[in-house]
Amino acid sequence: MSPWGTAKSADFRGPLDVARAATVVLDAQDTVIGWSRTAEELFGYAQDEIIGKPLDTFLPPRQSSGLTEADEAGAPLSGGEIRVAHHSDGRSLLVATAVSSLPGSGTAAHVLVATALESLRLWESRLALLQGLATQSPVGLGIYDTDLRLTWCNAAYELEIGLPFAEFRGLRADELYSEGSFLTEGYPNTLDSVMNQVLDTGEPIVDLHFRGRPPSDPDVEHLWSCSYYRLQDADGHVFGVCEDAFDITDRYEAQKRLALLVEAGRGIGTVLDVMVTAEEIAEVAVPEFADAVTVDLVEEVVEGGVLGAGGPAGGALVRVASRSAPAKGPARPGGPGEPEKTDPPSPVDYPPGSPQMRSLSSGGLVLADDTLVVPLRAGGSPLGLVTFRRAPWATFDNGEIALADELAARTAVSIDNARRYSRERAASLALQRQLLPRHLPQQTAVDLAYRYLPTDDVTGVGGDWFDVIALSGTRVGLVVGDVVGHGLQAAATMGRLRTTVRALAQLDLPPDELLKRLDDLVGQSAEDLMDAVGPPIEPREDDATGATCLYAVYDPVSRRCTMARAGHLPPAIVDPEGRLSYPDLPAGPPLGLGGLPFESKELELPVGSLIALFTDGLVETRGRDIDQGLNTLGRVLGDPGRSLEELCDRTLSELLPYGTTADDTALLLVRTRELDPGHVAHWELPAEPVAVGHARELATGQLRDWDLEELTFSTELVVSELVTNAVRHAEGPLQLRLIRDRTLLCEVADAGHTSPHLRHSEEEDEGGRGLFIVAQLVHRWGTRYTESGKTIWTEQVFPSAE
């Protein structure tokens, strides 16, 4: 309960008032001649027991032993002093007394009034409370009558108005704050309306935020937290409204700054783009912090270049962002040297002495009236400037200057990150162009389409790869692989593996043999690195162990496809009728593990068969197992009427509908062809000298049929030399094959496994010049090995293509 009690029981009369205190009438000899009922209650003596007794019966003379040091002072409190009295039951009690002489010549000489000390202390505390509310409370208190006229206010309210109370007494609230407004929604739009609502309903209003300009500070808007409640007396009669108002301007501004920093944390640096980041600080700062913001950056920053220490980095400033709040009055002319906004970014040139040039020269922030220029710096290198402007009357205080510095610091970090990202991305894209096929050359053997989606959006490259390699005899090598990890480290490892596969493929190795050699090289590289630096404490992202690969060779002459895999997913094969199958291809271990052999599998494919080589990022994602992905892939690829490009797009839209994936993704689609049988000539010859002349005749006749007589001379020499070597150094039977493709291919196969060597013969040597002559006549030549022997092949460019 309030110390004042309830409204009905509150009594504000003093404790020594005769109407409520114990009253004793004394004669000139201090004999009791009058005794009130309240005195009987306080001292315990009935009226007939005390009348005629001396005063010291219940109030002996003052004795220091019965009082505290404070009480002994006997300082009058509210017109009395503190004494020790005796109750009728023998106990002592402290009372406050006051004595008043009675005029006249009657028997009564004076009146003594007394009250218990507790009552006096309660009254004293109530008076102190009232005094504190009136003079010491930081909360402004004002009392308005039922006509909403100000009738009383405390010192804090008077200080807020800035005038003596007598000068604004009787005014209405809306007259004191003529341009006020509410931040809290759901209330009437004037203070008078709010007070009328309280008078009418009796419902108090608490923490109503009101913004206005007080007479004491007309140039600055203040914000108050106001509460209103109705005043009524003990009988329920309403006599006014009390207003409690506390100035929360500083707290509100601090909250706004904190909210602006939170918004800056969310809104600045959302993407790794220099231009967007510059726009973001302007968007965050206007209009909450400034009326206009411009951002100027060093040209090298916009271009993602290398920064210099000190000075403007040797580059000019360019305007990259500008934003202004809607004008509330006449347009304000731009500051000295302020360039107009242009898009795209345009150079800016500030004159000497301008705030911007002073900031550039000093490297610090510059405050000039209503303009605040803050430098953008990263690691000691200048990035640019941010200029904040306000209306002429709204200058920046120290807290706002610190806030601007913090906004600029956050922006500088984000801009520098974006600049670094631009450089890294440019380097990564250049690396990607080197590591992945820039374009896939047209092949006689197959039609091609592909897609590559790295999960690392920062670098644009990943650890997955694919490749298409032209092999001898119109064959084509198809590769797809996956390195554990993402980003540049995985891409570098992928590049090493891709280069190695291309080198091994040119040896015309069978798929299982190629993977075996690739596995040996990966394992050897890991062992060499361990010997050099010791075992790694943690797995390295660029370790090739865990890389998988699938290698396939398709021959359009025989329509046979031979493939092997090292821990990779098998390909999907769709025949011309749309039937899907995943060949039962032995998995083999991932590269670098060693220990287990790799096995090849040969398939004969109808013309127009579709082969899909892919990495697991395509079919296995979070929330979808690999079987679901494979089923979806098969359903999409089962439409034989669509082109390869359409199938690539549909596959990605079905399996990666959002265009992103948690893992790198590579997809290579191949549709097989068959070489026209009329473009292939094949003969079997005995391993005898007579076969040389017969081979020349067969080759010459075939060239005549193909209208390639211009190549007769060179082809006769090539066939003669290759067949002669096979007869002398190998075993039979021999096979001669001519293929008319994009070039003229000549192949001689035998049962031997010894490769011929190109060498320079001495003048005295009788032989050894054959292959040297062949090498001079053909575009390229080589050897490939089969289970039954080897094949020496050459390629000659058609005369029209030279």
Side-chain angles (χ1 to χ4, degrees):
M1 180 180 292
S2 167
W4 305 109
T6 63
K8 293 184 178 181
S9 63
D11 191 346
F12 297 103
R13 294 173 295 174
L16 295 178
D17 184 87
V18 294
R20 58 181 301 181
T23 305
V24 180
V25 183
L26 303 172
D27 62 12
Q29 290 76 34
D30 287 340
T31 300
V32 178
I33 61 175
W35 188 260
S36 69
R37 181 177 296 276
T38 308
E40 182 177 341
E41 295 174 354
L42 177 62
F43 297 110
Y45 293 96
Q47 188 176 28
D48 56 357
E49 294 176 332
I50 197 64
I51 295 296
K53 298 289 181 68
L55 176 63
D56 59 8
T57 303
F58 62 91
L59 192 65
R62 296 189 60 213
Q63 299 178 6
S64 61
S65 60
L67 300 174
T68 64
E69 182 178 351
D71 296 330
E72 284 182 346
L77 298 175
S78 300
E81 61 179 359
I82 298 174
R83 303 283 298 275
V84 177
H86 296 311
H87 196 272
S88 62
D89 59 9
R91 58 188 173 86
S92 299
L93 68 157
L94 291 175
V95 296
T97 63
V99 179
S100 177
S101 299
L102 297 176
S105 57
T107 304
H110 42 268
V111 176
L112 179 145
V113 292
T115 187
L117 186 60
E118 290 80 2
S119 299
L120 178 64
R121 293 304 186 200
L122 180 59
W123 173 252
E124 293 276 336
S125 66
R126 290 173 177 174
L127 287 179
L129 178 59
L130 286 175
Q131 183 72 10
L133 290 174
T135 62
Q136 301 174 17
S137 173
V139 178
L141 296 175
I143 295 178
Y144 293 81
D145 60 20
T146 54
D147 293 329
L148 304 183
R149 300 288 180 180
L150 183 65
T151 60
W152 178 87
C153 72
N154 67 350
Y157 198 100
E158 189 176 28
L159 182 64
E160 190 70 45
I161 299 300
L163 298 172
F165 175 62
E167 296 187 21
F168 60 89
R169 180 176 183 175
L171 294 180
R172 303 170 72 95
D174 288 338
E175 295 172 340
L176 289 173
Y177 305 96
S178 57
E179 297 182 0
S181 60
F182 294 116
L183 295 186
T184 308
E185 297 180 355
Y187 292 96
N189 55 7
T190 65
L191 289 174
D192 284 359
S193 300
V194 169
M195 293 187 194
N196 273 322
Q197 177 178 319
V198 173
L199 284 175
D200 293 341
T201 65
E203 295 292 332
I205 293 177
V206 180
D207 197 25
L208 175 64
H209 287 185
F210 174 76
R211 180 168 55 191
R213 300 178 186 271
S216 61
D217 196 5
D219 293 334
V220 179
E221 281 192 337
H222 287 241
L223 182 68
W224 293 273
S225 173
C226 303
S227 297
Y228 298 90
Y229 47 92
R230 192 168 66 183
L231 298 175
Q232 57 190 44
D233 59 17
D235 297 326
H237 176 69
V238 176
F239 60 87
V241 175
C242 185
E243 176 189 57
D244 297 348
F246 185 71
D247 193 328
I248 60 172
T249 304
D250 292 341
R251 185 180 73 188
Y252 177 70
E253 292 299 327
Q255 290 175 342
K256 281 179 59 178
R257 294 169 190 169
L258 179 59
L260 190 63
L261 284 178
V262 173
E263 180 62 25
R266 290 196 301 257
I268 298 177
T270 58
V271 295
L272 289 170
D273 186 284
V274 171
M275 305 293 290
V276 173
T277 303
E279 289 286 352
E280 286 172 342
I281 184 177
E283 184 177 355
V284 167
V286 177
E288 295 299 325
F289 181 73
D291 296 325
V293 171
T294 56
V295 183
D296 307 318
L297 296 181
V298 175
E299 194 170 10
E300 285 88 341
V301 175
V302 179
E303 297 173 353
V306 179
L307 297 180
L317 291 176
V318 293
R319 174 66 48 82
V320 295
S322 179
R323 180 179 289 264
S324 300
K328 298 180 180 178
R332 173 181 176 271
E338 178 187 1
E340 296 181 358
K341 178 186 177 184
T342 58
D343 190 18
S346 60
V348 291
D349 186 15
Y350 291 106
S354 64
Q356 290 82 3
M357 188 56 66
R358 288 159 52 194
S359 178
L360 283 175
S361 302
S362 65
L365 58 85
V366 174
L367 177 61
D369 298 328
D370 56 349
T371 300
L372 177 61
V373 182
V374 186
L376 298 170
R377 302 183 68 84
S381 299
L383 303 177
L385 300 170
V386 181
T387 302
F388 302 93
R389 289 190 175 89
R390 284 184 172 176
W393 60 83
T395 58
F396 296 90
D397 59 28
N398 291 335
E400 290 167 332
I401 292 175
L403 176 59
D405 198 27
E406 177 65 22
L407 290 176
R410 295 190 180 198
T411 303
V413 171
S414 297
I415 288 178
D416 192 47
N417 287 340
R419 177 192 65 84
R420 294 172 182 271
Y421 162 73
S422 297
R423 292 189 62 211
E424 293 294 330
R425 180 170 177 79
S428 299
L429 292 177
L431 175 63
Q432 180 188 33
R433 287 192 293 269
Q434 296 298 322
L435 295 180
L436 292 175
R438 302 184 191 182
H439 63 277
L440 295 180
Q442 292 185 350
Q443 300 285 337
T444 301
V446 292
D447 290 325
L448 302 167
Y450 63 90
R451 296 292 185 271
Y452 177 75
L453 293 178
T455 187
D456 192 336
D457 293 333
V458 175
T459 62
V461 295
D464 292 9
W465 90 94
F466 65 91
D467 210 346
V468 178
I469 307 168
L471 302 177
S472 64
T474 69
R475 297 170 306 133
V476 61
L478 307 173
V479 189
V480 65
D482 185 356
V483 175
V484 175
H486 313 292
L488 286 175
Q489 296 293 343
T493 302
M494 173 268 286
R496 295 199 301 268
L497 293 178
R498 176 175 177 265
T499 302
T500 303
V501 170
R502 290 189 69 89
L504 294 175
Q506 296 305 320
L507 299 177
D508 278 318
L509 297 174
D512 57 340
E513 180 63 23
L514 183 143
L515 292 181
K516 176 64 172 62
R517 295 197 183 188
L518 183 63
D519 179 68
D520 292 341
L521 290 173
V522 169
Q524 185 63 41
S525 298
E527 291 178 5
D528 292 344
L529 181 61
M530 185 176 296
D531 292 339
V533 300
I537 297 175
E538 295 180 356
R540 292 179 295 270
E541 291 185 0
D542 61 344
D543 284 343
T545 301
T548 65
C549 183
L550 185 148
Y551 180 63
V553 175
Y554 176 70
D555 186 345
V557 177
S558 65
R559 294 185 287 103
R560 290 186 173 275
C561 182
T562 305
M563 59 187 70
R565 60 185 179 128
H568 202 85
L569 291 172
I573 298 180
V574 181
D575 66 18
E577 303 300 324
R579 291 184 291 268
L580 171 73
S581 65
Y582 292 97
D584 185 15
L585 184 63
L591 297 174
L593 297 182
L596 295 176
F598 299 98
E599 299 182 42
S600 293
K601 183 165 186 160
E602 186 176 79
L603 303 173
E604 183 173 348
L605 301 177
V607 177
S609 296
L610 177 65
I611 307 175
L613 289 79
F614 53 90
T615 56
D616 57 1
L618 179 68
V619 294
E620 186 176 22
T621 61
R622 187 178 295 109
R624 182 186 66 203
D625 61 36
I626 193 169
D627 290 336
Q628 291 177 307
L630 292 175
N631 291 336
T632 302
L633 176 63
R635 175 174 53 80
V636 174
L637 298 180
D639 186 352
R642 294 187 179 272
S643 68
L644 295 182
E645 292 293 334
E646 289 178 314
L647 290 176
C648 280
D649 292 337
R650 285 200 59 196
T651 299
L652 294 185
S653 65
E654 289 279 347
L655 292 170
L656 305 174
Y658 302 107
T660 59
T661 174
D663 195 6
D664 301 327
T665 299
L667 172 65
L668 176 62
L669 296 184
V670 174
R671 184 163 282 152
T672 64
R673 294 177 179 175
E674 182 182 23
L675 195 63
D676 186 346
H679 288 186
V680 179
H682 181 271
W683 304 277
E684 188 166 323
L685 303 172
E688 299 175 357
V690 69
V692 177
H694 186 46
R696 286 198 300 266
E697 294 176 359
L698 292 173
T700 301
Q702 188 61 57
L703 293 179
R704 188 183 311 113
D705 293 341
W706 286 342
D707 295 326
L708 295 175
E709 288 89 349
E710 295 181 53
L711 296 178
T712 300
F713 176 74
S714 58
T715 304
E716 283 185 334
L717 289 177
V718 169
V719 170
S720 180
E721 180 60 31
L722 295 184
V723 173
T724 298
N725 282 340
V727 170
R728 290 180 178 180
H729 306 293
E731 301 176 359
L734 308 181
Q735 294 181 352
L736 172 63
R737 186 169 71 165
L738 297 180
I739 300 176
R740 180 179 180 176
D741 189 35
R742 299 178 186 275
T743 59
L744 177 64
L745 285 83
C746 178
E747 299 179 345
V748 175
D750 58 50
H753 289 83
T754 302
S755 175
H757 298 286
L758 181 67
R759 64 185 179 90
H760 294 274
S761 300
E762 300 294 337
E763 293 182 359
E764 296 81 7
D765 292 341
E766 297 182 359
R769 299 179 179 85
L771 280 181
F772 183 80
I773 296 175
V774 169
Q776 301 301 313
L777 294 174
V778 300
H779 176 62
R780 61 182 186 134
W781 70 281
T783 305
R784 68 173 180 268
Y785 294 91
T786 64
E787 294 181 357
S788 59
K790 68 176 183 299
T791 299
I792 310 297
W793 57 267
T794 65
E795 286 188 18
Q796 298 180 70
V797 179
F798 296 139
S800 59
E802 294 180 348

